[in-house]
Amino acid sequence: MKKASAYFPIFVSVLLCLATFSSSALSVFTPKETEPTASLNSSEIGGRPLKDYISSVYVGDTSSAESQAVSANRSDAIGRISEQFLSPYSAKLSYGGVYIKNTTGLTVDIKKELSESLKFKIEKGKEPQVLILHTHATECYMEEDRDFYTSADKSRTTDNSKNVTEIGEIIAKKLESGGISVIHDRTQHDHPSYNQSYSRAAETIKEYLDKYPSIKIVVDVHRDSIAITGNDKAKPTVTVNGKKAAQVMLVVGCEAGTVTGFPNWRENFRLALKYQQTMEVLYPGLARTMAFAPRRYNMNLTTGSMLLEVGTDANSFEEAKYSAELAGDALLSLLNTLK
């Protein structure tokens, strides 16, 4: 693994010279936290208010889970959708194709962390190696690619063929096509109640880990949301091979401040660094700046946990599905090096 990591920066430098992306972007990174509370100002993450460490917050849509409307009329618009390329390249903390927004207060040496080998190997065969699940399974997308949304465009649906569960299925199939055994859990941990979603997801993870000790990696697939001003929303996109994809974001937690009980967080961090670097090598600009925050996100349950945000509620479902193909391809590429 050390040998492979050493060559990544060279590949990244070459590809970044070839790639041309807009330098303008929104400085918004919005990882959703364990549970929403009645007031954003009173929400606590690691003992600190959310507003103290992230620039914009979306805590989740608590409306009833419904399907989205198609072919809406502009006259019914309640807000605009602004398409943006959220450039990771202006991040203050970066190295070798990895770009991080660090809100932990910890000093991070990306080069050193990338040089460290992971403590597990991926074995191809019948034994499950990867668990994919969804803490917020009912999160969904726009059914159309348009620059406005209406009250009929819901951010949640219990239809698993239209929500983030389908995104997880695409990633699972990509890994399975490469000979890696995957369990994809479709439990809607956020329905009918959004509260305690992470607690319910933790129980699901523990059950699978007890039943299948062969599992090395747990991927919690989400969908983000970015508010701009008023009722307007942003949707992050990048063009890959002539086709528009929703940008993705890795959210990584750690033990810092009042967050305890997470001694092995660096193992997850290293996995996420290698994954983001792989995405940047294969598909420059697909990954937004990584959000590194003092929180557990159930990542304390394994040393191979990741939280992946695929697009936002303003992205079209087609953009998100294409993004899942690309993210799945990059994950397969990374796992193939962990033998």
Side-chain angles (χ1 to χ4, degrees), residues 19-30:
T20 56
F21 290 98
S22 168
S23 61
S24 62
L26 297 174
S27 298
V28 180
F29 303 94
T30 58

Side-chain angles (χ1 to χ4, degrees), residues 67-114:
S67 298
Q68 297 170 310
V70 182
S71 300
N73 294 318
R74 188 175 294 275
S75 60
D76 295 325
I78 59 174
R80 293 182 301 121
I81 292 176
S82 176
E83 186 170 342
Q84 303 279 343
F85 170 67
L86 300 187
S87 175
Y89 307 128
S90 59
K92 294 180 180 179
L93 179 59
S94 65
Y95 173 81
V98 177
Y99 306 90
I100 301 175
K101 181 173 184 179
N102 182 4
T103 60
T104 67
L106 302 176
T107 300
V108 175
D109 185 338
I110 300 176
K111 181 178 180 180
K112 181 179 182 301
E113 298 296 346
L114 282 171

Side-chain angles (χ1 to χ4, degrees), residues 31-51:
K32 296 181 293 300
E33 305 308 327
T34 48
E35 302 296 346
T37 58
S39 169
L40 287 180
N41 291 332
S42 65
S43 297
E44 294 293 325
I45 298 299
R48 292 187 295 159
L50 285 168
K51 63 184 178 61

Side-chain angles (χ1 to χ4, degrees), residues 170-187:
I170 292 171
I171 296 174
K173 287 181 177 178
K174 179 66 70 170
L175 298 181
E176 289 170 345
S177 71
I180 296 174
S181 181
V182 179
I183 292 175
H184 181 204
D185 181 83
R186 299 168 178 80
T187 303

Side-chain angles (χ1 to χ4, degrees), residues 325-336:
E325 294 262 359
L326 302 175
D329 186 54
L331 183 55
L332 176 59
S333 180
L334 172 61
L335 298 189
N336 279 334

Side-chain angles (χ1 to χ4, degrees), residues 124-135:
K124 295 188 177 183
K126 295 183 179 180
E127 292 296 317
Q129 303 293 295
V130 178
L131 168 64
I132 296 176
L133 80 158
H134 311 275
T135 296

